[in-house]
């Protein structure tokens, strides 16, 4: 009998025409068949829906958790009234159920112990013991160094609860990888240019656009739900899609124009586009005249940045540069120059984002239907509490004047400030983290390891044993989002909305919600006034009542939408619109950059090229996984178990690499991947680069499904290019080569 | 009445949401699936074309799996949906061998399982779970005999293809170009 076919198959009709599987499942090995998977499907009427919003990624789509009569979670389905999901969750949201059922979850508090022989292990601890230990350490650090020396790292809703605790305690020494390792350059650039942020979900009017321009952004591989849905609507409306990417990405395949750019040269392309718009006189004159500042200087600045100049840098033919610029101009202002999200690539990322903002301004593609709309979010009043104490120093002071336009803490700076040899004026002595797996989300793992050895104490709140929990002194098991109350989601959109997350079931094992955890620590520190409630539902009910609803009503509807009050969605409905910049205009010429000592205009600068026999490492996302946090979720693991390294056929030929062959990667600094990774020979990648999906190659054995599957791109990112403007860590500056022999064959090395 | 599905390959991004929605809706054990994604890449860098296809049982009008089933477990119900009665299935696997689409598998409990078009939902006037979850709105389901059904409207004025037409099965999953 034939074995069952794998989920995701590839049949290549191009070069090397054999059909290859993305996943090598083929009925081999592990089949997981838990009790929940037996019986017949039941209709929705026999299930009870509980409102929630998703925590598998940051999009926070609202939906319902469906529970059967036996109290088992059966499925999670989108809420049709939610503007983020429109009733349709992405694969991760649909598979979020696996977070709850994961048998590898953290089950009890854990405390690190050292045996007589020096070896260490985790001991099960009671909640009281673990919380006492953390609270006592916090008191000790406060007495010895001041509360500011207790740094914290956070992401998502658990991170929000942690931030509340730490601010009440007296520390604003915080950072989240979502800033300096992700969207930070975008924030700095658009704030400088437009006086406002792009925000999340991004205020991109893709639904009504006539032209969507994606620069290294890959909607459909990232499942930023609303954007994926709206790109589909744009395809229906026959909008033009232009994709700039060295890789033939999913949206590239849906594009009228794919510009297979040489990596690291995007600024040259953007400046050439700007040149064409200005010197062919096809820019949006009304918008530029009415709303912008610095056009004449810009015209002079880009005088020599012709498509012919850019051709030699980008390898994009001048004719294609001109045609795509004209296409954008023809659709203006209904053009979305997508600002991207993970934009820390080469260390000059804020300037690249500036170039995108300038291009947007020349098209007038800001504030019009089909471009960037003016978003609005609901203001949720804060539950009564005393003001947070003043801090003597915070994340900003820690930077000692570097990265002046940073608006949030910079993760690598807090990590460096934890290492005595770097001699920071403000030293970090202990860490708390929630919802972020630092070893797999930060560049320069040796730095992380050094820092974590230097600090006096580290506690981690998470739902899963991740690499980060392995470094902790105390680990606290958090309930999953399906088992807890949480903040009100008040995300921006075309109109304001709020969403409730409530428990559908009781927390499994001994796990507890983050709001409960931080309250317990707060009470031990004498901070009761900041936690003046017994259950978080009291906070929610109070807040809901301030905005004209109640917990009772929200438990029924899950999502409530409100009319706009801040003003119209589009610029043409305003009489006078002043941008929140120094000049009150869209700053093509950035006065903010100039006064901070940076070039007011973007300039293309060459970046280092791969040495011989090395290839630039490009990484990205798969639609069924989020960062490094979902690989062990059995639903999502089932869809994609490991990453592969994409290699162009000519490179494969050179190295005699076959599809599915296992290789180890080594980078320019000699760093090795912990595990082997399968080669995927594909025409979809340039010959000077290789590509991997981020988040795989877990080295924590407690992740029984994810352990040892694929390779970690982060392990190859020992080098990063720091953005001097806001502290972003450009991570596409690493080069890898292939090892066909197991480099660990003759030596025992500490993996991870 | 003739139930059918149209898959718009211009919109599908291959995210596999249809796969996981089916698994949770129908309690498909991990390691198995009733629907899946195929990625087709053609050409050479940089002249490339790529399409994703969300595939499943084709609910063929001329279904080889039904013809070869020795016990009558595989059968066709009203609307053309091909089903397997679990209690009557002996797990012999003849249907699996006969299916040109590799759409069937042996469930760990011993019977052969596959896509039912979510008949428990369709009977109540709902769409199959995969259709309702798809974030790209690329799946369209309904009655081909009804010109106003979602599937009929989606196929109107669009060119389409089916899989393995040479097998003569008259499959009912249509892929829109």
């Amino acid at each position: 009998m034939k074995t069952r076919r794998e989920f995701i198959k590839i049949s290549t009709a191009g070069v090397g025409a054999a059909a290859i599987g993305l996943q090598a499942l083929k009925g081999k090995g592990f089949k997981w068949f838990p009790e929940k998977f037996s019986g017949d499907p039941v209709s929705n009427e026999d299930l009870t829906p509980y409102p929630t919003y998703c925590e598998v990624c940051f999009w926070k789509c609202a939906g319902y958790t469906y529970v059967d009569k036996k109290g088992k979670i059966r499925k999670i389905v989108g809420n049709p009234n939610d503007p983020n999901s429109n009733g349709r969750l992405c694969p991760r949201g649909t598979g979020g159920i696996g977070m709850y059922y994961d048998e590898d979850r953290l089950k009890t508090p854990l405390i690190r112990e050292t045996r007589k022989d020096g070896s260490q292990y985790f001991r099960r601890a009671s909640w009281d013991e673990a919380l006492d230990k953390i609270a006592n350490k916090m008191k000790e650090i406060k007495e010895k160094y001041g509360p500011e020396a207790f740094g914290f790292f956070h992401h998502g809703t658990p991170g929000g609860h942690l931030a509340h605790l730490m601010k009440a305690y007296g520390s604003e020494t915080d950072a989240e990888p979502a800033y300096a390792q992700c969207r930070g350059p975008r924030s700095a650039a658009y704030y400088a240019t437009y006086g406002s942020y792009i925000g999340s979900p991004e205020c991109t009017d893709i639904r009504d656009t006539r032209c969507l321009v994606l620069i290294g952004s890959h909607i459909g591989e990232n499942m930023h739900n609303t954007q994926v849905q709206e790109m589909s609507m744009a395809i229906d409306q026959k909008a033009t899609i232009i994709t700039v990417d060295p890789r033939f990405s999913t949206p590239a395949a849906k594009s009228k124009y794919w510009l297979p750019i040489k990596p690291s040269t995007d600024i040259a392309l953007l400046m050439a586009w700007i040149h064409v718009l200005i010197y062919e006189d096809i820019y949006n004159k009304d918008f530029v005249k009415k709303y912008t500042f610095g056009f004449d200087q810009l015209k002079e600045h880009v005088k020599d940045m012709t498509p012919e100049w850019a051709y030699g840098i980008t390898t994009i033919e001048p004719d294609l540069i001109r045609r795509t610029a004209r296409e954008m101009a023809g659709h203006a202002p209904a053009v979305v120059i997508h600002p991207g999200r993970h934009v820390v690539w080469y260390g000059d990322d804020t300037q690249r984002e500036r170039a995108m903002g300038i291009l947007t301004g020349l098209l007038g593609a800001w504030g019009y239907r089909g471009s960037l709309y003016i978003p609005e979010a609901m203001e949720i009043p804060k539950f009564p509490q005393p003001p947070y104490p003043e801090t003597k120093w915070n994340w900003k002071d820690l930077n000692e004047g570097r990265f002046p336009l940073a608006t949030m803490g910079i993760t690598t700076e807090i990590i460096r400030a934890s290492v005595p040899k770097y001699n920071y004026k403000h030293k970090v002595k202990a860490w708390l983290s929630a919802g972020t797996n630092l070893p797999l989300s930060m560049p320069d793992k040796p730095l992380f390891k050094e820092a974590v050895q230097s600090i006096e104490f580290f506690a981690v709140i998470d739902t899963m044993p991740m690499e980060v929990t392995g470094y902790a002194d105390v680990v606290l098991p958090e309930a999953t989002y399906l088992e807890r109350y949480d903040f009100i989601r008040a995300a921006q959109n075309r109109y304001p909305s709020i969403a409730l997350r409530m428990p559908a079931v009781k927390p499994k094992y001994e796990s507890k919600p983050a709001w409960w955890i931080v309250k317990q620590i707060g009470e031990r520190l004498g901070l009761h006034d900041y936690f003046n409630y017994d259950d978080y539902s009291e906070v929610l009910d109070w807040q809901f009542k301030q905005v004209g609803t109640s917990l009772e009503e929200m438990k029924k509807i899950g999502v409530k939408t409100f009319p706009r009050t801040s003003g119209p969605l589009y610029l043409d409905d305003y009489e006078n619109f002043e941008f929140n910049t120094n000049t009150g205009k869209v700053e093509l010429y950035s006065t903010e950059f100039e006064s901070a000592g940076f070039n007011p205009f973007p300039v293309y600068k060459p970046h280092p090229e791969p040495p011989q026999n090395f290839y630039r490492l490009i990484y990205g996302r798969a639609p069924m996984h989020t960062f490094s946090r979902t690989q062990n979720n059995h639903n999502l693991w089932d869809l994609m178990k490991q990453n592969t390294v994409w290699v162009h056929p000519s490179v494969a030929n050179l190295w005699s690499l076959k599809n599915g062959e296992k290789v180890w990667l080594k980078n320019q600094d000699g760093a090795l991947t912990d595990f082997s990774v399968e080669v995927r020979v594909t025409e979809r990648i340039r010959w000077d680069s290789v590509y991997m999906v981020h988040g795989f190659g877990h080295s924590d054995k407690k992740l029984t499904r994810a352990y040892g599957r694929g390779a970690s791109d982060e392990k190859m990112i020992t080098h990063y290019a720091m953005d001097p403007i806001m502290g972003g860590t450009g991570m596409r500056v690493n080069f890898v080569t292939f090892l066909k022999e197991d480099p660990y064959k003759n030596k025992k090395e500490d993996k991870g | 009445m003739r139930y059918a599905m149209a898959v718009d390959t211009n919109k599908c991004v291959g995210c596999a949401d249809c796969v996981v929605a089916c698994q949770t809706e129908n309690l498909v054990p991990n390691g198995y699936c009733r629907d899946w994604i195929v990625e087709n890449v053609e050409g050479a860098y940089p002249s490339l074309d790529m399409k994703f296809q969300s595939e499943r049982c084709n609910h063929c009008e001329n279904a080889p799996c039904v013809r070869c089933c020795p016990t009558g477990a595989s059968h066709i119900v009203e609307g053309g949906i091909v089903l397997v009665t679990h209690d009557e299935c002996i797990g012999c696997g003849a249907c699996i061998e006969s299916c040109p689409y590799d759409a069937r598998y042996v469930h760990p409990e011993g019977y052969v399982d596959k896509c039912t078009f979510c008949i428990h939902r369709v009977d109540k006037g709902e769409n199959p779970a995969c259709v309702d979850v798809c974030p790209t709105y690329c799946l369209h389901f309904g009655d081909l005999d009804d010109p106003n059904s979602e599937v009929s409207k989606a196929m109107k004025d669009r060119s389409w293809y089916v899989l393995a037409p040479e097998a003569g099965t008259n499959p009912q999953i249509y892929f829109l170009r």
Side-chain angles (χ1 to χ4, degrees), chain A residues 7-8 61 76-78 85 87-96 220 223 225 228-229 622-625 635-636 639, chain B residues 12-26 33 35-37 54 56 128-139:
Chain A
F7 298 148
I8 300 186
C61 296
I76 313 168
V77 178
S85 75
R88 290 168 184 242
L89 298 178
C90 83
R92 299 163 305 161
T94 309
M223 288 305 286
N225 196 346
V228 176
Q229 296 192 19
M624 54 289 280
H625 284 290
N635 291 102
L636 304 179
L639 301 177
Chain B
C12 180
V13 295
C15 72
D17 205 359
C18 46
V19 179
V20 64
C22 170
Q23 287 173 321
T24 56
E25 177 75 25
N26 294 298
C33 57
D35 53 355
W36 60 91
I37 302 290
S54 169
R56 56 194 45 64
C130 57
V131 175
D132 271 356
V133 81
C134 177
T136 69
Y137 304 82
C138 82
L139 301 176

Side-chain angles (χ1 to χ4, degrees), chain A residues 174-186:
Chain A
D174 73 310
E176 54 177 74
Y179 183 73
Q181 281 67 51
C182 196
R183 52 164 219 283
R186 178 184 93 183

Side-chain angles (χ1 to χ4, degrees), chain A residues 223-294:
Chain A
M223 288 305 286
H224 301 167
N225 196 346
T226 332
Q227 305 213 337
V228 176
Q229 296 192 19
E230 293 197 11
M231 185 171 80
S232 231
M233 294 172 197
I235 291 169
D236 267 343
Q237 300 300 320
K238 311 243 181 302
T240 298
I241 304 178
I242 299 170
T243 299
V244 180
D245 205 310
R247 186 172 60 88
F248 191 63
S249 63
T250 296
K254 304 195 182 300
S255 297
K256 182 175 174 185
Y257 301 98
W258 170 42
L259 280 58
I261 194 165
K262 179 178 168 177
S264 81
T265 65
D266 308 78
I267 291 179
L269 172 68
L270 286 159
M271 299 317 282
W273 270 343
I274 290 167
H275 174 96
V276 174
L277 291 180
I278 293 176
Y279 286 89
E280 290 196 5
D281 211 22
I282 51 174
Y283 64 93
N284 186 331
K285 293 190 189 64
D286 291 343
F287 187 91
V288 166
K289 191 170 170 214
K290 191 169 178 191
Y291 290 118
T292 69
F293 169 81

